[in-house]
Amino acid sequence: MRHKCFISSKTEDFNYKRYILENMDIDLIDKSLNVAIDSDDEEYIMQVIRRDYLSDSTVTIFLIGSQSSDALGWEEQKYIKRELQGSLYHGTGNTQSGILGIVLPHMTDSVYRGSYACNRCGGSHRYVNVKDTTISEFSYNYYIPNGDKCSWSEDDRFCVLVAWNEFAKAPEDYIHKAFNKRGHPIAEKTKVYP
Ligand SMILES: [Zn+2]
């Protein structure tokens, strides 16, 4: 089964978006939020984003590039933040979308930082740095607070993360994985405005 996808990305990474649109057999909505929705009513803003942009998509693909972190500020990131908020939003007439973060090739070393020895369990954990490279809407829902555990298993995460090269080999597999999170218990722990 194919899932309809929406791509959230910065203009700097347009070539990757275009590559997906032109070369991958994915059911995509070719839109992006590019005007501010003039309202103080968050509920209303979320409804407009769902209705006019995300439409009936069930998975949002978030391209992680060099310009997609919170460090650049709200004004610079307001569209991708709104797109992810709208994706996470559970409202009347919509269910939230799964979120698939794709680490673009120039970001691989910044995100995948190797592994470290854990002084609590004695094991080894991968150090995946999404806090400095993405927006909180993504990083929070990737590292959902999980109590006293020393690491996150796949079941502790709502957002799915994959490197571009891996994604390109089997796009539908990763899209499906993100889609399935919608019905997983972890979906109850997501936050729209972290
Ligand atoms: Zn550990």
Side-chain angles (χ1 to χ4, degrees), residues 23-142:
N23 299 294
M24 291 184 185
D25 182 26
I26 296 173
D27 191 5
L28 285 169
I29 295 173
D30 186 11
K31 273 188 185 175
S32 54
L33 183 62
N34 48 21
V35 286
I37 297 160
D38 186 23
S39 172
D40 295 326
D41 182 348
E42 280 294 327
E43 190 86 8
Y44 172 77
I45 292 172
M46 290 296 109
Q47 281 167 11
V48 170
I49 292 174
R50 294 283 337 180
R51 185 190 67 212
D52 296 350
Y53 296 91
L54 301 177
S55 182
D56 55 350
S57 65
T58 50
V59 173
T60 293
I61 294 174
F62 174 49
L63 299 184
I64 300 168
S66 60
Q67 307 293 310
S68 46
S69 79
D70 271 328
L72 278 73
W74 162 261
E75 193 52 35
E76 174 65 26
Q77 305 300 35
K78 62 185 175 190
Y79 297 131
I80 59 172
K81 287 178 83 71
R82 285 303 196 190
E83 287 168 347
L84 288 207
Q85 288 165 4
S87 302
L88 291 157
Y89 179 75
H90 259 301
T92 38
N94 82 272
T95 49
Q96 68 183 163
S97 297
I99 296 184
L100 173 60
I102 300 179
V103 181
L104 297 180
H106 59 283
M107 292 300 289
T108 309
D109 292 345
S110 306
V111 174
Y112 297 108
R113 307 288 291 271
S115 54
Y116 62 94
C118 176
N119 56 22
R120 288 180 55 196
C121 73
S124 164
H125 304 307
R126 292 170 75 206
Y127 177 28
V128 179
N129 179 20
V130 290
K131 295 213 164 110
D132 300 327
T133 56
T134 71
I135 49 179
S136 59
E137 287 75 6
F138 186 87
S139 61
Y140 180 91
N141 294 297
Y142 183 76

